Amino acid sequence: MSRIYTYYITLVGVVCAYFIINLFFFIDLSARTVHSDVLQGFLIGFGLAVVTAQIYGWIKATKVYGWTTMFGLGVPGNGMLLRAASTLLFPGPVVVPEEAMYWKTHTDGARHTLDGQYNYVMRFPTGGLPPNNAFWSLTMGDAKNHFVPNPINRYSVSDRSGLTQNDDGSVDIYIQNTAPAGHESNWLPAPSGKFILWLRVYLPGAAILDRTYTVPPVVKIN
């Protein structure tokens, strides 16, 4: 969660609490006007809507190893509350799971903020690449979720990137600011500061749809 977003939610909560307390304890009810009632109703309603969507998002989100996803966003009948929650907590595209699934993280597996001053590796075990019937990609974004300029003009890696396997069939993706010696084919360039990762899987396989697939953690290395 970004600092600006945290400030925003805090401000909404404070404003909402102020009007509720002021309404019940400090306002002369006989002196109320339609204008003031409408204004207070709007602000309180807006605040409660944001808080409700935030709480619902926390309940519905799936979080593993720092990765966050939400299932069923585009499924008919799931309603506006789930979509509002996804906008606040997980601003990913709203599609049915059978079309695409998305995971986002700004922390490593130990819940420390991802930062380009450190080196990381994301290891997919043997046979553990994201199952799909189209393709998958791991995309880098800076703290504002913008593409990161880099010397090899690489902004994501995928099953079409020619990734090199280890001897046991596992695949390591090196996420760092400078090229990893001997592992350039598996390098996803990171900025010098904080960053965000997105994992996208298109036409996901059964293991993703039945929620048995686990996205591996991003691990900080020496």
Side-chain angles (χ1 to χ4, degrees):
M1 184 182 296
S2 70
R3 183 176 300 179
I4 293 177
Y5 180 69
T6 301
Y7 289 159
Y8 168 71
I9 293 297
T10 302
L11 177 61
V12 168
V14 169
V15 171
C16 186
Y18 167 78
F19 277 102
I20 291 176
I21 293 172
N22 199 44
L23 175 64
F24 286 102
F25 296 101
F26 299 104
I27 290 181
D28 181 2
L29 298 182
S30 64
R32 287 165 50 187
T33 65
V34 173
H35 176 77
S36 65
D37 282 357
V38 170
L39 177 60
Q40 291 181 48
F42 172 80
L43 293 174
I44 292 173
F46 176 77
L48 291 177
V50 171
V51 172
T52 301
Q54 181 74 31
I55 294 173
Y56 192 68
W58 286 335
I59 294 172
K60 298 296 289 185
T62 300
K63 297 183 178 181
V64 179
Y65 296 136
W67 292 97
T68 300
T69 191
M70 296 184 77
F71 285 86
L73 297 181
V75 176
N78 277 354
M80 292 185 293
L81 184 57
L82 181 60
R83 299 187 184 196
S86 72
T87 300
L88 289 175
L89 188 65
F90 179 73
V94 179
V95 296
V96 294
E98 291 78 10
E99 182 177 338
M101 282 295 299
Y102 305 83
W103 291 259
K104 176 186 176 183
T105 187
H106 64 276
T107 66
D108 61 18
R111 298 303 180 111
H112 299 137
T113 301
L114 296 172
D115 195 306
Q117 64 179 309
Y118 305 111
N119 297 334
Y120 303 89
V121 65
M122 185 176 178
R123 171 168 290 182
F124 291 93
T126 305
L129 290 171
N132 67 88
N133 295 303
F135 68 97
W136 64 268
S137 68
L138 180 67
T139 304
M140 168 69 63
D142 63 16
K144 295 183 179 181
N145 208 22
H146 298 155
F147 284 141
V148 177
N150 62 85
I152 61 173
N153 295 321
R154 179 181 291 171
Y155 309 101
S156 66
V157 293
S158 70
D159 52 4
R160 305 177 182 184
S161 299
L163 299 172
T164 301
Q165 294 185 350
N166 299 318
D167 293 339
D168 63 357
S170 62
V171 175
D172 291 334
I173 297 177
Y174 295 85
I175 305 166
Q176 54 192 70
N177 183 247
T178 56
H183 301 287
E184 289 82 359
S185 63
N186 292 27
W187 176 36
L188 179 59
S192 58
K194 294 178 174 57
F195 61 89
I196 297 169
L197 292 172
W198 284 89
L199 177 65
R200 297 175 170 89
V201 182
Y202 296 91
L203 301 183
I208 292 178
L209 297 177
D210 64 20
R211 309 189 188 192
T212 58
Y213 179 76
T214 300
V215 179
V218 177
V219 179
K220 185 168 70 172
I221 59 177
N222 294 327

